[in-house]
Amino acid sequence: RVVCDSITQYSFHAGGWGQRLTEYFSRRADVLNRGFAGYNTLYAHLALQRLLPGELSDAALWTVGLGANDSMLPGSEVHLPASEYEANLRAILGRIQTASGGRAAIIVIGPPPKVDDQEAGQSSASSAEYAEIASRCAAAYGAEFLDMHAAMSSTGRPFSDFSHDGVHYNTAGNAFAFERIRGVIDTRLPQLAVPRDPVTGRYDLPNASPLPCEMPGIMELIDHANPAAVFTPLEPASAAAVAAHATLPSLWQTPPPWRTALVSAVLGAAAATAAIMRVASIKFRV
């Protein structure tokens, strides 16, 4: 699951970074969007207390991207002082580590830029300040850090090129965000990486990924003369199914550890008018 704000909530729209992440983990993991528009780190921490401990305790990956709302200018309902933002973010990261027993990988995503608008309470400089705090928090908890503010600013393009309203991503912004998140997974978390097939460009084909596909591939593994031979019987199994199961190839006799559902969650925050940023979650079913 992903627990965050509107940037996550809207990420499952066509072309959104969450929708692209779903394609990335296709057949290997379920990405469950739990984005809540308008959330800051205080609201996110309160929400997390309802989620952990629980099924998310087994999350393999969390992306925590909060700060877009906290960094709104004073006077905004969702603004939080920098000191409170840091305390809340540290509490969130600590809760994730405790619930997962330190096993979950965490990507902290700093708040992206904003189009400056005094009336709307938007300040890109304030977002950059909170991104620096997020970086310190990530380092303190051994998490990976993705500085979305610096990444987008380094392109030399105005944030309006990446946003349709000065806060939320447009198609270009979502594509940019996904590529940066994918880059962190591919280079810093190789145990969760899914290489793109060099011929088709798809992610859902059997390849060198440490994450296996949930079901056998139609072209590579299924024996069309005897397709049942490669499928583990569904539970509860009948006596006849159990007997038949004993004759299956050893690879499929015992459900491997990775079949136990893993859950990866993304925590994020970012939009002015509607956001804690991105709470989305990835649930591994492999």
Side-chain angles (χ1 to χ4, degrees), residues 5 7-8 24 56 93 100-101 106 117 124 130 164 168 191 196 209 222 241 253 256 258 266:
D5 59 20
I7 289 183
T8 292
Y24 178 83
L56 293 187
L93 297 177
S100 70
I106 305 174
D117 186 332
S124 194
Y130 281 60
H164 64 84
H168 301 93
Q191 72 275 20
R196 191 192 296 266
S209 173
I222 291 181
Q253 284 181 9
W258 42 259
V266 177

Side-chain angles (χ1 to χ4, degrees), residues 218-271:
I218 190 68
M219 300 300 295
E220 301 83 0
L221 299 176
I222 291 181
D223 178 357
H224 293 280
N226 184 22
V230 295
F231 287 94
T232 302
L234 298 177
E235 298 178 0
S238 64
V242 170
H245 182 49
T247 66
L248 296 180
S250 59
L251 173 65
W252 299 93
Q253 284 181 9
T254 304
W258 42 259
R259 278 195 64 214
T260 303
L262 302 166
V263 182
S264 142
V266 177
L267 245 150

Side-chain angles (χ1 to χ4, degrees), residues 94-172:
R95 192 174 188 88
I96 292 171
Q97 284 196 340
T98 299
S100 70
R103 294 183 298 273
I106 305 174
I107 302 173
V108 175
I109 305 173
K114 294 184 179 79
V115 173
D116 290 324
D117 186 332
Q118 192 76 21
E119 284 190 23
Q122 298 168 199
S123 167
S124 194
S126 181
S127 291
E129 176 190 352
Y130 281 60
E132 291 183 9
I133 296 172
S135 176
R136 290 203 304 268
C137 293
Y141 285 85
E144 304 296 337
F145 180 65
L146 172 56
D147 193 339
M148 197 66 76
H149 192 288
M152 288 184 164
S153 299
S154 68
T155 65
R157 299 164 60 187
F159 184 61
S160 56
D161 283 359
F162 299 104
S163 173
H164 64 84
D165 62 0
V167 175
H168 301 93
Y169 298 144
N170 58 16
T171 300

Side-chain angles (χ1 to χ4, degrees), residues 182-205:
R182 181 179 69 86
V184 172
I185 296 172
D186 287 353
T187 59
R188 301 185 225 168
L189 301 170
Q191 72 275 20
L192 301 176
V194 182
R196 191 192 296 266
D197 184 82
V199 177
T200 66
R202 289 165 52 183
Y203 294 107
D204 63 334
L205 299 178

